[in-house]
Amino acid sequence: MGATDQPSPWWSAARHADRRPFLMARGAIMRAVRAWFDEQGFTEVETSVLQISPGNETHLHAPRTEITGNDGSRATRYLRTSPEFAAKKLLAAGETKIFEFARVFRDRERGDLHLPEFTMLEWYRANAGYDAIMADTIVVIAHAAQATGIGQFAFRGRTADPFAEPELLTVAQAFERFAGIDLLATIVNGEGDRAALAAVASKRVRVTDDDTWSDIFSKVLVEHVEPNLGQGRLTVLFEYPAPEAALARAKAADPRIAERFEVYACGVELANGFGELTDAAEQRRRFVDSMDEKERRYGERYPLDEDFLAAVAAMPLSSGVALGFDRLVMLASGALRVDQVVWTPPAGER
C-alpha cells in the first residue's frame, strides 16, 4: 500500500458484502431471543442512555456530556455503561420480568472483543434466585446457536458446543485447579487479605507493590483461569469472592462468597449475572470504596445516583444478568471480531 493509500471505508460495497452474512445472523439471533423472552412472559423495556451516574465500578469508564436546560443551566450527564440502574428502578416500581437490548458505552475499550459502543442484552427476574438466571443464560445462548445453525462456537483455536451440558465451576475450584491457589483462605470477614493472596500468587503472576487484592485476583483470573474456561462446552463460573461481589448479595451460608456468576465459551466471557443486592447501605459502601479507588488510580470519580440507591432498598428479591450480545453474535455466526457483527463500526474507523 502506497504512502497516500487509505483502506476502503467500511461502507464500501465490497467490505459491506463481506460483513453482510454476519449481520443477517445478528438479525436472526435477535428475533429468536426476542421470541423466547416473549414466550417466557418478559416485557421488553427501553431505558434512557443519559444517566446521572454511568455506574460505580473502579475500572469502568464512561463518556461524559452536558445537557442544557431552557434557562441555560448546564448539568453533567454520562452515557451509561449498563442499563442496570434504570432496570432496577423498574423492578422497584413493580415490574417483575424485564429485558432490554441496550446500547451502552465504555471508554478505554477497543479490541477484537471490545467496542466503545456496543449492545448489551440484560434481563431481570423478580422473586427468583440467581440459579434461574443462570439457566436462562444457557438457554439464550443455545437459541442463538439454533438461529444460525452453527454446530459449535470457535475462537482463536478453541471450540465449545453450545448445546452440551455446561460445566459448573466455582471460582475457588477454578483457582485451585488452574493456579494452585486456595482463594478462600485469603478472605477474612468478607475482605481480601492482600498479603495472603500476594504470597501465594507471586509464583504465578507478577505482583507489584501497588497491586490490591482485587488486582492480584484479576491477574490470576485473566492469565491462568479464563483461558481454560468454556473449552468443549460452556462454563458457568460462579460463587465469586466477596471482594468481587460488585452489585451481588453475599451468600447466606458463607460471607466469603457472593451470588455472582459469569458464563464463558472458548475462553470468552459472555455474561455476568448477580443475585441482586437489596441492602442500600452496603451498596453505598461498595460504591464509595470503588470511587475512592478510581480517584486514586485515574484521578476521577463518578457521582452516586441517589434514586438508584433508594430503588435498591425498595427492590424485591431479584436476579439479573448482562450478556454481551455482539460477542454472542460473533461466536454464533463464525465471525472473528465483534466489529464484523455490528451494522456500523465505531465512528471515525475505516
Side-chain angles (χ1 to χ4, degrees):
M1 183 177 291
T4 60
D5 292 340
Q6 293 289 329
S8 299
W10 62 263
W11 44 262
S12 66
R15 289 187 66 185
H16 182 66
D18 288 341
R19 295 167 59 247
R20 200 167 191 278
F22 304 133
L23 300 173
M24 295 301 99
R26 182 187 185 93
I29 295 168
M30 189 170 283
R31 289 190 295 273
V33 170
R34 273 199 168 104
W36 181 81
F37 278 115
D38 186 57
E39 291 169 1
Q40 299 298 310
F42 279 77
T43 298
E44 183 169 6
V45 300
E46 195 171 25
T47 61
S48 58
V49 169
L50 290 176
Q51 296 288 322
I52 290 173
S53 174
N56 297 103
E57 296 186 45
T58 301
H59 301 293
L60 287 186
H61 305 274
R64 182 194 308 248
T65 188
E66 269 192 347
I67 58 173
T68 305
N70 291 338
D71 61 355
S73 62
R74 295 183 176 182
T76 298
R77 293 292 184 267
Y78 298 87
L79 302 185
R80 63 186 178 183
T81 59
S82 163
E84 182 167 8
F85 284 12
K88 288 181 177 177
K89 292 172 186 177
L90 290 176
L91 292 175
E95 294 294 337
T96 58
K97 297 165 74 174
I98 56 176
F99 77 100
E100 180 175 7
F101 285 96
R103 298 297 288 177
V104 298
F105 305 83
R106 297 187 180 181
D107 272 351
R108 308 189 188 212
E109 295 194 9
R110 185 63 175 96
D112 289 351
L113 293 172
H114 297 88
L115 294 172
E117 177 183 357
F118 60 99
T119 298
M120 181 177 286
L121 171 59
E122 193 154 315
W123 69 96
Y124 293 84
R125 287 181 180 267
N127 306 308
Y130 85 138
D131 54 340
I133 289 287
M134 284 188 202
D136 285 347
T137 306
I138 301 305
V139 172
V140 166
I141 293 169
H143 273 64
Q146 288 174 339
T148 63
I150 202 165
Q152 67 177 9
F153 294 159
F155 185 72
R156 295 179 180 172
R158 303 182 178 100
T159 61
D161 181 348
F163 305 108
E165 187 75 20
E167 174 188 33
L168 301 177
L169 189 65
T170 70
V171 177
Q173 290 170 338
F175 268 62
E176 180 63 43
R177 180 183 303 177
F178 302 122
I181 292 173
D182 182 352
L183 185 65
L184 297 186
T186 72
I187 302 173
V188 180
N189 297 323
E191 301 292 333
D193 183 332
R194 190 262 181 206
L197 183 56
V200 293
S202 58
K203 300 174 184 177
R204 306 292 289 160
V205 297
R206 181 173 177 267
V207 176
T208 67
D209 292 341
D210 194 45
D211 282 338
T212 64
W213 186 98
S214 289
D215 293 331
I216 302 169
F217 169 86
S218 295
K219 287 181 178 181
V220 176
L221 181 72
V222 170
E223 295 179 28
H224 295 285
V225 176
E226 286 185 333
N228 293 290
L229 303 181
Q231 305 304 313
R233 55 179 175 160
L234 302 179
T235 297
V236 179
L237 188 69
F238 67 109
E239 293 189 354
Y240 264 66
E244 295 296 307
L247 285 82
R249 58 180 171 258
K251 197 169 180 66
D254 189 343
R256 297 175 301 174
I257 55 181
E259 292 188 0
R260 177 182 175 185
F261 73 93
E262 293 190 338
V263 179
Y264 288 82
C266 308
V268 175
E269 178 203 335
L270 287 177
N272 181 21
F274 304 143
E276 304 295 350
L277 181 64
T278 55
D279 182 336
E282 171 61 15
Q283 189 65 81
R284 181 186 296 275
R285 183 193 68 79
R286 294 183 191 178
F287 281 172
V288 169
D289 287 349
S290 292
M291 291 302 92
D292 288 347
E293 181 65 9
K294 188 180 196 74
E295 188 166 41
R296 184 185 74 84
R297 287 174 175 269
Y298 304 109
E300 65 174 344
R301 64 191 303 134
Y302 299 143
L304 303 187
D305 182 339
E306 294 295 340
D307 280 349
F308 169 71
L309 289 169
V312 166
M315 276 172 53
L317 177 75
S318 304
S319 294
V321 64
L323 183 147
F325 186 69
D326 303 323
R327 291 185 181 184
L328 178 60
V329 173
M330 181 192 74
L331 292 177
S333 67
L336 301 177
R337 307 182 312 274
V338 290
D339 59 9
Q340 293 177 298
V341 303
V342 296
W343 279 94
T344 59
E349 295 195 7
R350 298 185 69 83

mmCIF file with all atom_site columns, all heavy atoms in Angstrom, residues 256-279:
data_model
loop_
_atom_site.group_PDB
_atom_site.id
_atom_site.type_symbol
_atom_site.label_atom_id
_atom_site.label_alt_id
_atom_site.label_comp_id
_atom_site.label_asym_id
_atom_site.label_entity_id
_atom_site.label_seq_id
_atom_site.pdbx_PDB_ins_code
_atom_site.Cartn_x
_atom_site.Cartn_y
_atom_site.Cartn_z
_atom_site.occupancy
_atom_site.B_iso_or_equiv
_atom_site.pdbx_formal_charge
_atom_site.auth_seq_id
_atom_site.auth_comp_id
_atom_site.auth_asym_id
_atom_site.auth_atom_id
_atom_site.pdbx_PDB_model_num
ATOM 1   N N   . ARG A 1 256 ? -17.836 -15.259 52.678 1.00 0.00 ? 256 ARG A N   1
ATOM 2   C CA  . ARG A 1 256 ? -16.644 -15.082 51.858 1.00 0.00 ? 256 ARG A CA  1
ATOM 3   C C   . ARG A 1 256 ? -16.969 -15.047 50.364 1.00 0.00 ? 256 ARG A C   1
ATOM 4   O O   . ARG A 1 256 ? -16.118 -14.658 49.551 1.00 0.00 ? 256 ARG A O   1
ATOM 5   C CB  . ARG A 1 256 ? -15.639 -16.208 52.117 1.00 0.00 ? 256 ARG A CB  1
ATOM 6   C CG  . ARG A 1 256 ? -15.096 -16.253 53.531 1.00 0.00 ? 256 ARG A CG  1
ATOM 7   C CD  . ARG A 1 256 ? -14.199 -17.471 53.734 1.00 0.00 ? 256 ARG A CD  1
ATOM 8   N NE  . ARG A 1 256 ? -14.925 -18.714 53.480 1.00 0.00 ? 256 ARG A NE  1
ATOM 9   C CZ  . ARG A 1 256 ? -14.369 -19.922 53.460 1.00 0.00 ? 256 ARG A CZ  1
ATOM 10  N NH1 . ARG A 1 256 ? -13.044 -20.033 53.676 1.00 0.00 ? 256 ARG A NH1 1
ATOM 11  N NH2 . ARG A 1 256 ? -15.094 -21.004 53.238 1.00 0.00 ? 256 ARG A NH2 1
ATOM 12  N N   . ILE A 1 257 ? -18.174 -15.468 49.993 1.00 0.00 ? 257 ILE A N   1
ATOM 13  C CA  . ILE A 1 257 ? -18.527 -15.553 48.578 1.00 0.00 ? 257 ILE A CA  1
ATOM 14  C C   . ILE A 1 257 ? -19.841 -14.826 48.312 1.00 0.00 ? 257 ILE A C   1
ATOM 15  O O   . ILE A 1 257 ? -20.638 -14.581 49.216 1.00 0.00 ? 257 ILE A O   1
ATOM 16  C CB  . ILE A 1 257 ? -18.619 -17.016 48.094 1.00 0.00 ? 257 ILE A CB  1
ATOM 17  C CG1 . ILE A 1 257 ? -19.584 -17.825 48.964 1.00 0.00 ? 257 ILE A CG1 1
ATOM 18  C CG2 . ILE A 1 257 ? -17.245 -17.658 48.078 1.00 0.00 ? 257 ILE A CG2 1
ATOM 19  C CD1 . ILE A 1 257 ? -19.702 -19.268 48.546 1.00 0.00 ? 257 ILE A CD1 1
ATOM 20  N N   . ALA A 1 258 ? -20.047 -14.482 47.040 1.00 0.00 ? 258 ALA A N   1
ATOM 21  C CA  . ALA A 1 258 ? -21.226 -13.723 46.627 1.00 0.00 ? 258 ALA A CA  1
ATOM 22  C C   . ALA A 1 258 ? -21.976 -14.478 45.541 1.00 0.00 ? 258 ALA A C   1
ATOM 23  O O   . ALA A 1 258 ? -21.418 -15.339 44.843 1.00 0.00 ? 258 ALA A O   1
ATOM 24  C CB  . ALA A 1 258 ? -20.808 -12.354 46.103 1.00 0.00 ? 258 ALA A CB  1
ATOM 25  N N   . GLU A 1 259 ? -23.239 -14.129 45.386 1.00 0.00 ? 259 GLU A N   1
ATOM 26  C CA  . GLU A 1 259 ? -24.097 -14.747 44.369 1.00 0.00 ? 259 GLU A CA  1
ATOM 27  C C   . GLU A 1 259 ? -23.860 -14.056 43.025 1.00 0.00 ? 259 GLU A C   1
ATOM 28  O O   . GLU A 1 259 ? -24.701 -13.317 42.506 1.00 0.00 ? 259 GLU A O   1
ATOM 29  C CB  . GLU A 1 259 ? -25.561 -14.672 44.787 1.00 0.00 ? 259 GLU A CB  1
ATOM 30  C CG  . GLU A 1 259 ? -25.890 -15.531 45.998 1.00 0.00 ? 259 GLU A CG  1
ATOM 31  C CD  . GLU A 1 259 ? -27.373 -15.610 46.282 1.00 0.00 ? 259 GLU A CD  1
ATOM 32  O OE1 . GLU A 1 259 ? -28.172 -14.999 45.533 1.00 0.00 ? 259 GLU A OE1 1
ATOM 33  O OE2 . GLU A 1 259 ? -27.747 -16.267 47.263 1.00 0.00 ? 259 GLU A OE2 1
ATOM 34  N N   . ARG A 1 260 ? -22.702 -14.305 42.483 1.00 0.00 ? 260 ARG A N   1
ATOM 35  C CA  . ARG A 1 260 ? -22.317 -13.748 41.187 1.00 0.00 ? 260 ARG A CA  1
ATOM 36  C C   . ARG A 1 260 ? -21.813 -14.878 40.304 1.00 0.00 ? 260 ARG A C   1
ATOM 37  O O   . ARG A 1 260 ? -21.151 -15.801 40.786 1.00 0.00 ? 260 ARG A O   1
ATOM 38  C CB  . ARG A 1 260 ? -21.222 -12.690 41.367 1.00 0.00 ? 260 ARG A CB  1
ATOM 39  C CG  . ARG A 1 260 ? -20.718 -12.099 40.060 1.00 0.00 ? 260 ARG A CG  1
ATOM 40  C CD  . ARG A 1 260 ? -19.604 -11.086 40.286 1.00 0.00 ? 260 ARG A CD  1
ATOM 41  N NE  . ARG A 1 260 ? -19.059 -10.633 39.010 1.00 0.00 ? 260 ARG A NE  1
ATOM 42  C CZ  . ARG A 1 260 ? -18.010 -9.826  38.877 1.00 0.00 ? 260 ARG A CZ  1
ATOM 43  N NH1 . ARG A 1 260 ? -17.386 -9.375  39.958 1.00 0.00 ? 260 ARG A NH1 1
ATOM 44  N NH2 . ARG A 1 260 ? -17.574 -9.477  37.684 1.00 0.00 ? 260 ARG A NH2 1
ATOM 45  N N   . PHE A 1 261 ? -22.106 -14.799 39.014 1.00 0.00 ? 261 PHE A N   1
ATOM 46  C CA  . PHE A 1 261 ? -21.618 -15.815 38.079 1.00 0.00 ? 261 PHE A CA  1
ATOM 47  C C   . PHE A 1 261 ? -21.260 -15.173 36.755 1.00 0.00 ? 261 PHE A C   1
ATOM 48  O O   . PHE A 1 261 ? -21.722 -14.077 36.415 1.00 0.00 ? 261 PHE A O   1
ATOM 49  C CB  . PHE A 1 261 ? -22.661 -16.920 37.853 1.00 0.00 ? 261 PHE A CB  1
ATOM 50  C CG  . PHE A 1 261 ? -23.848 -16.492 37.016 1.00 0.00 ? 261 PHE A CG  1
ATOM 51  C CD1 . PHE A 1 261 ? -23.869 -16.674 35.643 1.00 0.00 ? 261 PHE A CD1 1
ATOM 52  C CD2 . PHE A 1 261 ? -24.957 -15.902 37.614 1.00 0.00 ? 261 PHE A CD2 1
ATOM 53  C CE1 . PHE A 1 261 ? -24.952 -16.270 34.873 1.00 0.00 ? 261 PHE A CE1 1
ATOM 54  C CE2 . PHE A 1 261 ? -26.061 -15.505 36.858 1.00 0.00 ? 261 PHE A CE2 1
ATOM 55  C CZ  . PHE A 1 261 ? -26.063 -15.689 35.485 1.00 0.00 ? 261 PHE A CZ  1
ATOM 56  N N   . GLU A 1 262 ? -20.417 -15.870 35.999 1.00 0.00 ? 262 GLU A N   1
ATOM 57  C CA  . GLU A 1 262 ? -20.109 -15.483 34.632 1.00 0.00 ? 262 GLU A CA  1
ATOM 58  C C   . GLU A 1 262 ? -20.153 -16.732 33.765 1.00 0.00 ? 262 GLU A C   1
ATOM 59  O O   . GLU A 1 262 ? -19.892 -17.848 34.244 1.00 0.00 ? 262 GLU A O   1
ATOM 60  C CB  . GLU A 1 262 ? -18.740 -14.798 34.526 1.00 0.00 ? 262 GLU A CB  1
ATOM 61  C CG  . GLU A 1 262 ? -18.700 -13.444 35.225 1.00 0.00 ? 262 GLU A CG  1
ATOM 62  C CD  . GLU A 1 262 ? -17.442 -12.659 34.936 1.00 0.00 ? 262 GLU A CD  1
ATOM 63  O OE1 . GLU A 1 262 ? -16.425 -13.269 34.555 1.00 0.00 ? 262 GLU A OE1 1
ATOM 64  O OE2 . GLU A 1 262 ? -17.482 -11.421 35.082 1.00 0.00 ? 262 GLU A OE2 1
ATOM 65  N N   . VAL A 1 263 ? -20.502 -16.562 32.493 1.00 0.00 ? 263 VAL A N   1
ATOM 66  C CA  . VAL A 1 263 ? -20.577 -17.672 31.546 1.00 0.00 ? 263 VAL A CA  1
ATOM 67  C C   . VAL A 1 263 ? -19.525 -17.460 30.468 1.00 0.00 ? 263 VAL A C   1
ATOM 68  O O   . VAL A 1 263 ? -19.414 -16.349 29.911 1.00 0.00 ? 263 VAL A O   1
ATOM 69  C CB  . VAL A 1 263 ? -21.975 -17.789 30.910 1.00 0.00 ? 263 VAL A CB  1
ATOM 70  C CG1 . VAL A 1 263 ? -22.013 -18.932 29.902 1.00 0.00 ? 263 VAL A CG1 1
ATOM 71  C CG2 . VAL A 1 263 ? -23.032 -18.009 31.992 1.00 0.00 ? 263 VAL A CG2 1
ATOM 72  N N   . TYR A 1 264 ? -18.775 -18.520 30.169 1.00 0.00 ? 264 TYR A N   1
ATOM 73  C CA  . TYR A 1 264 ? -17.690 -18.457 29.200 1.00 0.00 ? 264 TYR A CA  1
ATOM 74  C C   . TYR A 1 264 ? -17.889 -19.482 28.093 1.00 0.00 ? 264 TYR A C   1
ATOM 75  O O   . TYR A 1 264 ? -18.404 -20.583 28.326 1.00 0.00 ? 264 TYR A O   1
ATOM 76  C CB  . TYR A 1 264 ? -16.349 -18.757 29.877 1.00 0.00 ? 264 TYR A CB  1
ATOM 77  C CG  . TYR A 1 264 ? -15.841 -17.661 30.782 1.00 0.00 ? 264 TYR A CG  1
ATOM 78  C CD1 . TYR A 1 264 ? -16.306 -17.533 32.083 1.00 0.00 ? 264 TYR A CD1 1
ATOM 79  C CD2 . TYR A 1 264 ? -14.881 -16.746 30.335 1.00 0.00 ? 264 TYR A CD2 1
ATOM 80  C CE1 . TYR A 1 264 ? -15.840 -16.533 32.920 1.00 0.00 ? 264 TYR A CE1 1
ATOM 81  C CE2 . TYR A 1 264 ? -14.403 -15.750 31.168 1.00 0.00 ? 264 TYR A CE2 1
ATOM 82  C CZ  . TYR A 1 264 ? -14.887 -15.646 32.450 1.00 0.00 ? 264 TYR A CZ  1
ATOM 83  O OH  . TYR A 1 264 ? -14.426 -14.651 33.278 1.00 0.00 ? 264 TYR A OH  1
ATOM 84  N N   . ALA A 1 265 ? -17.430 -19.101 26.897 1.00 0.00 ? 265 ALA A N   1
ATOM 85  C CA  . ALA A 1 265 ? -17.347 -20.022 25.763 1.00 0.00 ? 265 ALA A CA  1
ATOM 86  C C   . ALA A 1 265 ? -16.054 -19.731 25.030 1.00 0.00 ? 265 ALA A C   1
ATOM 87  O O   . ALA A 1 265 ? -15.766 -18.563 24.709 1.00 0.00 ? 265 ALA A O   1
ATOM 88  C CB  . ALA A 1 265 ? -18.531 -19.844 24.814 1.00 0.00 ? 265 ALA A CB  1
ATOM 89  N N   . CYS A 1 266 ? -15.234 -20.745 24.814 1.00 0.00 ? 266 CYS A N   1
ATOM 90  C CA  . CYS A 1 266 ? -13.958 -20.593 24.100 1.00 0.00 ? 266 CYS A CA  1
ATOM 91  C C   . CYS A 1 266 ? -13.047 -19.572 24.781 1.00 0.00 ? 266 CYS A C   1
ATOM 92  O O   . CYS A 1 266 ? -12.297 -18.855 24.117 1.00 0.00 ? 266 CYS A O   1
ATOM 93  C CB  . CYS A 1 266 ? -14.196 -20.177 22.650 1.00 0.00 ? 266 CYS A CB  1
ATOM 94  S SG  . CYS A 1 266 ? -15.337 -21.213 21.732 1.00 0.00 ? 266 CYS A SG  1
ATOM 95  N N   . GLY A 1 267 ? -13.105 -19.490 26.109 1.00 0.00 ? 267 GLY A N   1
ATOM 96  C CA  . GLY A 1 267 ? -12.296 -18.533 26.839 1.00 0.00 ? 267 GLY A CA  1
ATOM 97  C C   . GLY A 1 267 ? -12.831 -17.114 26.805 1.00 0.00 ? 267 GLY A C   1
ATOM 98  O O   . GLY A 1 267 ? -12.211 -16.211 27.366 1.00 0.00 ? 267 GLY A O   1
ATOM 99  N N   . VAL A 1 268 ? -13.983 -16.920 26.173 1.00 0.00 ? 268 VAL A N   1
ATOM 100 C CA  . VAL A 1 268 ? -14.583 -15.590 26.034 1.00 0.00 ? 268 VAL A CA  1
ATOM 101 C C   . VAL A 1 268 ? -15.693 -15.433 27.066 1.00 0.00 ? 268 VAL A C   1
ATOM 102 O O   . VAL A 1 268 ? -16.605 -16.268 27.145 1.00 0.00 ? 268 VAL A O   1
ATOM 103 C CB  . VAL A 1 268 ? -15.170 -15.401 24.620 1.00 0.00 ? 268 VAL A CB  1
ATOM 104 C CG1 . VAL A 1 268 ? -15.904 -14.065 24.510 1.00 0.00 ? 268 VAL A CG1 1
ATOM 105 C CG2 . VAL A 1 268 ? -14.070 -15.503 23.568 1.00 0.00 ? 268 VAL A CG2 1
ATOM 106 N N   . GLU A 1 269 ? -15.627 -14.357 27.842 1.00 0.00 ? 269 GLU A N   1
ATOM 107 C CA  . GLU A 1 269 ? -16.715 -14.070 28.773 1.00 0.00 ? 269 GLU A CA  1
ATOM 108 C C   . GLU A 1 269 ? -17.922 -13.564 27.992 1.00 0.00 ? 269 GLU A C   1
ATOM 109 O O   . GLU A 1 269 ? -17.826 -12.591 27.247 1.00 0.00 ? 269 GLU A O   1
ATOM 110 C CB  . GLU A 1 269 ? -16.286 -13.009 29.786 1.00 0.00 ? 269 GLU A CB  1
ATOM 111 C CG  . GLU A 1 269 ? -17.396 -12.621 30.756 1.00 0.00 ? 269 GLU A CG  1
ATOM 112 C CD  . GLU A 1 269 ? -17.216 -11.246 31.365 1.00 0.00 ? 269 GLU A CD  1
ATOM 113 O OE1 . GLU A 1 269 ? -16.068 -10.774 31.447 1.00 0.00 ? 269 GLU A OE1 1
ATOM 114 O OE2 . GLU A 1 269 ? -18.236 -10.641 31.749 1.00 0.00 ? 269 GLU A OE2 1
ATOM 115 N N   . LEU A 1 270 ? -19.063 -14.229 28.187 1.00 0.00 ? 270 LEU A N   1
ATOM 116 C CA  . LEU A 1 270 ? -20.287 -13.828 27.500 1.00 0.00 ? 270 LEU A CA  1
ATOM 117 C C   . LEU A 1 270 ? -21.266 -13.105 28.417 1.00 0.00 ? 270 LEU A C   1
ATOM 118 O O   . LEU A 1 270 ? -22.001 -12.223 27.966 1.00 0.00 ? 270 LEU A O   1
ATOM 119 C CB  . LEU A 1 270 ? -20.992 -15.051 26.894 1.00 0.00 ? 270 LEU A CB  1
ATOM 120 C CG  . LEU A 1 270 ? -20.355 -15.673 25.653 1.00 0.00 ? 270 LEU A CG  1
ATOM 121 C CD1 . LEU A 1 270 ? -21.145 -16.914 25.225 1.00 0.00 ? 270 LEU A CD1 1
ATOM 122 C CD2 . LEU A 1 270 ? -20.304 -14.661 24.509 1.00 0.00 ? 270 LEU A CD2 1
ATOM 123 N N   . ALA A 1 271 ? -21.339 -13.499 29.683 1.00 0.00 ? 271 ALA A N   1
ATOM 124 C CA  . ALA A 1 271 ? -22.386 -12.964 30.552 1.00 0.00 ? 271 ALA A CA  1
ATOM 125 C C   . ALA A 1 271 ? -21.892 -12.838 31.981 1.00 0.00 ? 271 ALA A C   1
ATOM 126 O O   . ALA A 1 271 ? -21.035 -13.608 32.424 1.00 0.00 ? 271 ALA A O   1
ATOM 127 C CB  . ALA A 1 271 ? -23.616 -13.867 30.504 1.00 0.00 ? 271 ALA A CB  1
ATOM 128 N N   . ASN A 1 272 ? -22.481 -11.871 32.695 1.00 0.00 ? 272 ASN A N   1
ATOM 129 C CA  . ASN A 1 272 ? -22.125 -11.589 34.083 1.00 0.00 ? 272 ASN A CA  1
ATOM 130 C C   . ASN A 1 272 ? -23.427 -11.354 34.838 1.00 0.00 ? 272 ASN A C   1
ATOM 131 O O   . ASN A 1 272 ? -24.168 -10.413 34.518 1.00 0.00 ? 272 ASN A O   1
ATOM 132 C CB  . ASN A 1 272 ? -21.228 -10.348 34.137 1.00 0.00 ? 272 ASN A CB  1
ATOM 133 C CG  . ASN A 1 272 ? -20.782 -9.988  35.538 1.00 0.00 ? 272 ASN A CG  1
ATOM 134 O OD1 . ASN A 1 272 ? -20.796 -10.818 36.439 1.00 0.00 ? 272 ASN A OD1 1
ATOM 135 N ND2 . ASN A 1 272 ? -20.400 -8.741  35.733 1.00 0.00 ? 272 ASN A ND2 1
ATOM 136 N N   . GLY A 1 273 ? -23.733 -12.233 35.817 1.00 0.00 ? 273 GLY A N   1
ATOM 137 C CA  . GLY A 1 273 ? -25.021 -12.152 36.495 1.00 0.00 ? 273 GLY A CA  1
ATOM 138 C C   . GLY A 1 273 ? -24.904 -12.122 38.002 1.00 0.00 ? 273 GLY A C   1
ATOM 139 O O   . GLY A 1 273 ? -23.892 -12.548 38.571 1.00 0.00 ? 273 GLY A O   1
ATOM 140 N N   . PHE A 1 274 ? -25.973 -11.634 38.641 1.00 0.00 ? 274 PHE A N   1
ATOM 141 C CA  . PHE A 1 274 ? -25.997 -11.479 40.089 1.00 0.00 ? 274 PHE A CA  1
ATOM 142 C C   . PHE A 1 274 ? -27.311 -11.969 40.690 1.00 0.00 ? 274 PHE A C   1
ATOM 143 O O   . PHE A 1 274 ? -28.371 -11.834 40.084 1.00 0.00 ? 274 PHE A O   1
ATOM 144 C CB  . PHE A 1 274 ? -25.898 -9.990  40.496 1.00 0.00 ? 274 PHE A CB  1
ATOM 145 C CG  . PHE A 1 274 ? -24.724 -9.234  39.970 1.00 0.00 ? 274 PHE A CG  1
ATOM 146 C CD1 . PHE A 1 274 ? -24.868 -7.914  39.586 1.00 0.00 ? 274 PHE A CD1 1
ATOM 147 C CD2 . PHE A 1 274 ? -23.468 -9.815  39.876 1.00 0.00 ? 274 PHE A CD2 1
ATOM 148 C CE1 . PHE A 1 274 ? -23.789 -7.177  39.123 1.00 0.00 ? 274 PHE A CE1 1
ATOM 149 C CE2 . PHE A 1 274 ? -22.383 -9.091  39.408 1.00 0.00 ? 274 PHE A CE2 1
ATOM 150 C CZ  . PHE A 1 274 ? -22.536 -7.767  39.028 1.00 0.00 ? 274 PHE A CZ  1
ATOM 151 N N   . GLY A 1 275 ? -27.214 -12.497 41.918 1.00 0.00 ? 275 GLY A N   1
ATOM 152 C CA  . GLY A 1 275 ? -28.330 -12.446 42.836 1.00 0.00 ? 275 GLY A CA  1
ATOM 153 C C   . GLY A 1 275 ? -28.250 -11.056 43.433 1.00 0.00 ? 275 GLY A C   1
ATOM 154 O O   . GLY A 1 275 ? -27.288 -10.713 44.132 1.00 0.00 ? 275 GLY A O   1
ATOM 155 N N   . GLU A 1 276 ? -29.212 -10.195 43.127 1.00 0.00 ? 276 GLU A N   1
ATOM 156 C CA  . GLU A 1 276 ? -29.058 -8.756  43.318 1.00 0.00 ? 276 GLU A CA  1
ATOM 157 C C   . GLU A 1 276 ? -29.055 -8.343  44.791 1.00 0.00 ? 276 GLU A C   1
ATOM 158 O O   . GLU A 1 276 ? -29.892 -8.795  45.584 1.00 0.00 ? 276 GLU A O   1
ATOM 159 C CB  . GLU A 1 276 ? -30.170 -8.010  42.584 1.00 0.00 ? 276 GLU A CB  1
ATOM 160 C CG  . GLU A 1 276 ? -30.253 -8.319  41.094 1.00 0.00 ? 276 GLU A CG  1
ATOM 161 C CD  . GLU A 1 276 ? -29.038 -7.859  40.306 1.00 0.00 ? 276 GLU A CD  1
ATOM 162 O OE1 . GLU A 1 276 ? -28.205 -7.119  40.873 1.00 0.00 ? 276 GLU A OE1 1
ATOM 163 O OE2 . GLU A 1 276 ? -28.924 -8.237  39.120 1.00 0.00 ? 276 GLU A OE2 1
ATOM 164 N N   . LEU A 1 277 ? -28.126 -7.450  45.110 1.00 0.00 ? 277 LEU A N   1
ATOM 165 C CA  . LEU A 1 277 ? -28.047 -6.875  46.439 1.00 0.00 ? 277 LEU A CA  1
ATOM 166 C C   . LEU A 1 277 ? -29.227 -5.930  46.665 1.00 0.00 ? 277 LEU A C   1
ATOM 167 O O   . LEU A 1 277 ? -29.526 -5.092  45.816 1.00 0.00 ? 277 LEU A O   1
ATOM 168 C CB  . LEU A 1 277 ? -26.734 -6.104  46.590 1.00 0.00 ? 277 LEU A CB  1
ATOM 169 C CG  . LEU A 1 277 ? -26.457 -5.448  47.942 1.00 0.00 ? 277 LEU A CG  1
ATOM 170 C CD1 . LEU A 1 277 ? -26.316 -6.495  49.027 1.00 0.00 ? 277 LEU A CD1 1
ATOM 171 C CD2 . LEU A 1 277 ? -25.192 -4.592  47.850 1.00 0.00 ? 277 LEU A CD2 1
ATOM 172 N N   . THR A 1 278 ? -29.895 -6.063  47.816 1.00 0.00 ? 278 THR A N   1
ATOM 173 C CA  . THR A 1 278 ? -31.011 -5.166  48.150 1.00 0.00 ? 278 THR A CA  1
ATOM 174 C C   . THR A 1 278 ? -30.743 -4.395  49.444 1.00 0.00 ? 278 THR A C   1
ATOM 175 O O   . THR A 1 278 ? -31.652 -3.793  50.002 1.00 0.00 ? 278 THR A O   1
ATOM 176 C CB  . THR A 1 278 ? -32.327 -5.953  48.278 1.00 0.00 ? 278 THR A CB  1
ATOM 177 O OG1 . THR A 1 278 ? -32.156 -7.016  49.233 1.00 0.00 ? 278 THR A OG1 1
ATOM 178 C CG2 . THR A 1 278 ? -32.754 -6.534  46.943 1.00 0.00 ? 278 THR A CG2 1
ATOM 179 N N   . ASP A 1 279 ? -29.518 -4.399  49.897 1.00 0.00 ? 279 ASP A N   1
ATOM 180 C CA  . ASP A 1 279 ? -29.102 -3.644  51.073 1.00 0.00 ? 279 ASP A CA  1
ATOM 181 C C   . ASP A 1 279 ? -28.475 -2.334  50.582 1.00 0.00 ? 279 ASP A C   1
ATOM 182 O O   . ASP A 1 279 ? -27.333 -2.310  50.125 1.00 0.00 ? 279 ASP A O   1
ATOM 183 C CB  . ASP A 1 279 ? -28.096 -4.467  51.880 1.00 0.00 ? 279 ASP A CB  1
ATOM 184 C CG  . ASP A 1 279 ? -27.629 -3.778  53.151 1.00 0.00 ? 279 ASP A CG  1
ATOM 185 O OD1 . ASP A 1 279 ? -27.683 -2.535  53.223 1.00 0.00 ? 279 ASP A OD1 1
ATOM 186 O OD2 . ASP A 1 279 ? -27.175 -4.477  54.078 1.00 0.00 ? 279 ASP A OD2 1
#
